[in-house]
Amino acid sequence: MAALTGKVALVTGAGHRKGIGHGIARQLIKAGATVVISDLADMQSLQNGVTDLQALGGEAAATLCDVSDKVSFDQALDFVLKQYKKLDVLVNNAGVAVGNEDFLAITDSDWQLSNQVNLMGAVTGCQTVLPFFKQQNSGSIINIASLAGLGAINGIPANYTATKFALVGLSKQLALQYAADNIRVNAVCPGSVVTQMHALTLQSIAESNGVSLQQAQDIENASIPLGYSANPEAIGDAVVFLAGDGASYITGQALPVAGGMAPGL
Ligand SMILES: NC(=O)c1ccc[n+]([C@@H]2O[C@H](COP(=O)([O-])OP(=O)(O)OC[C@H]3O[C@@H](n4cnc5c(N)ncnc54)[C@H](O)[C@@H]3O)[C@@H](O)[C@H]2O)c1
């Protein structure tokens, strides 16, 4: 029997096929879970994602979920419960990388958006599922933070770092508070993963160093002991581990999945 057979998982920010959310969904379904993918908008793209996931041989569905809107999150949970009668795993993956590496150039709206999605989106997700998990007396929440949530990394906007640190803190506090209800809360901290968000980071490395995109990738690779950026599936594998019974004694941890890259200061 696969590790997650019989478990139902909801993944936020999983609307496009090249993102980490979809990579997580692929690994969850391969491990036997039923997976509901969600995103801010674009139901067509979500439906295409469902078709891809079903081709892997499992059960999948999609629903819209704007993590910055409590009503939208409630509706997503209702959808999952109507469809599958239970939820075992919430993956708070939705995130935005806005801002500027120059602290003084970060706008109020950058601060607001990163706070609204990176931190408060996960807060809303936890507020939505925790009453149900408590009633069920089980559940696993996995927050996709960042290596930038463990230390300050050159070139990363302060608003991104601050919200990802806060997400790690949230994971630890909730792990403590809900352990008695058999609910585990952990964070996964990716380093560099090949997605649209990563393409923007590379562009910024290229611009600030006055080099080509390939040279920017080489600069980044030199800072990763394993020498390359991960595929989204590598983050999915960590999520599968933390969601499964093999991690039943692990809670309140922030797991770097970063090819050995150090979090910095
Ligand atoms: N790519 C990397 O190198 C990297 C490294 C560390 C951490 N991360 C984190 O991993 C997660 C996924 O990143 P990614 O690289 O796949 O980025 P991405 O931009 O490809 O995907 C992010 C997804 O979040 C969705 N989203 C944004 N606002 C939302 C909202 N209000 N409600 C619901 N969904 C919303 C977007 O529509 C998008 O589908 C993020 O939390 C990001 O901070 C990424």
Side-chain angles (χ1 to χ4, degrees):
M1 195 170 71
L4 299 180
T5 301
K7 296 209 189 277
V8 177
L10 171 63
V11 186
T12 68
H16 66 89
R17 288 185 254 186
K18 293 197 167 154
I20 290 176
H22 209 268
I24 292 170
R26 283 196 292 277
Q27 300 312 85
L28 285 168
I29 212 159
K30 285 190 228 161
T34 291
V35 182
V36 178
I37 53 172
S38 65
D39 211 310
L40 186 58
D42 198 351
M43 201 57 204
Q44 186 53 53
S45 171
L46 280 166
Q47 289 299 358
N48 294 340
V50 167
T51 306
D52 284 357
L53 292 171
Q54 286 170 338
L56 296 171
E59 174 65 26
T63 185
L64 292 175
C65 175
D66 176 351
V67 301
S68 66
D69 176 1
K70 176 74 170 116
V71 173
S72 175
F73 227 125
D74 284 339
Q75 286 167 348
L77 179 62
D78 283 351
F79 172 85
V80 175
L81 296 182
K82 262 199 199 106
Q83 198 90 354
Y84 300 113
K85 315 279 179 264
K86 70 194 289 239
L87 177 69
D88 302 288
V89 182
L90 171 66
V91 185
N92 286 313
N93 166 73
V96 290
V98 293
N100 196 301
E101 65 180 285
D102 175 357
F103 172 65
L104 296 178
I106 302 172
T107 63
D108 285 354
S109 70
D110 289 337
W111 277 105
Q112 274 156 15
L113 182 62
S114 49
N115 190 49
Q116 208 173 41
V117 180
N118 298 352
L119 173 60
M120 291 311 293
V123 169
T124 301
C126 295
Q127 284 173 334
T128 305
V129 303
L130 277 168
F132 176 76
F133 280 179
K134 257 174 88 91
Q135 194 188 322
Q136 192 176 245
N137 196 41
S138 70
S140 169
I141 296 174
I142 298 159
N143 294 322
I144 306 304
S146 171
L147 202 62
L150 299 174
I153 299 171
N154 252 331
I156 303 285
N159 55 311
Y160 187 80
T161 303
T163 53
K164 291 297 186 177
F165 260 77
L167 184 55
V168 170
L170 175 78
S171 310
K172 287 179 178 287
Q173 191 63 40
L174 295 186
L176 196 59
Q177 286 179 218
Y178 289 91
D181 298 297
N182 193 32
I183 297 164
R184 296 184 297 108
V185 187
N186 290 289
V188 169
C189 299
S192 169
V193 187
V194 182
T195 65
Q196 283 175 13
M197 190 182 280
H198 175 253
L200 294 176
T201 308
L202 274 192
Q203 213 167 342
S204 132
I205 296 176
E207 278 163 20
S208 54
N209 289 279
V211 296
S212 69
L213 281 177
Q214 183 53 51
Q215 285 165 321
Q217 181 70 71
D218 293 342
I219 292 171
E220 190 181 66
N221 288 349
S223 70
I224 306 171
L226 285 181
Y228 59 91
S229 298
N231 286 321
E233 280 81 356
I235 310 309
D237 288 336
V239 169
V240 166
F241 168 65
L242 288 171
D245 291 344
S248 62
Y249 206 55
I250 299 177
T251 195
Q253 300 308 302
L255 178 67
V257 181
M261 195 180 188
L265 189 64

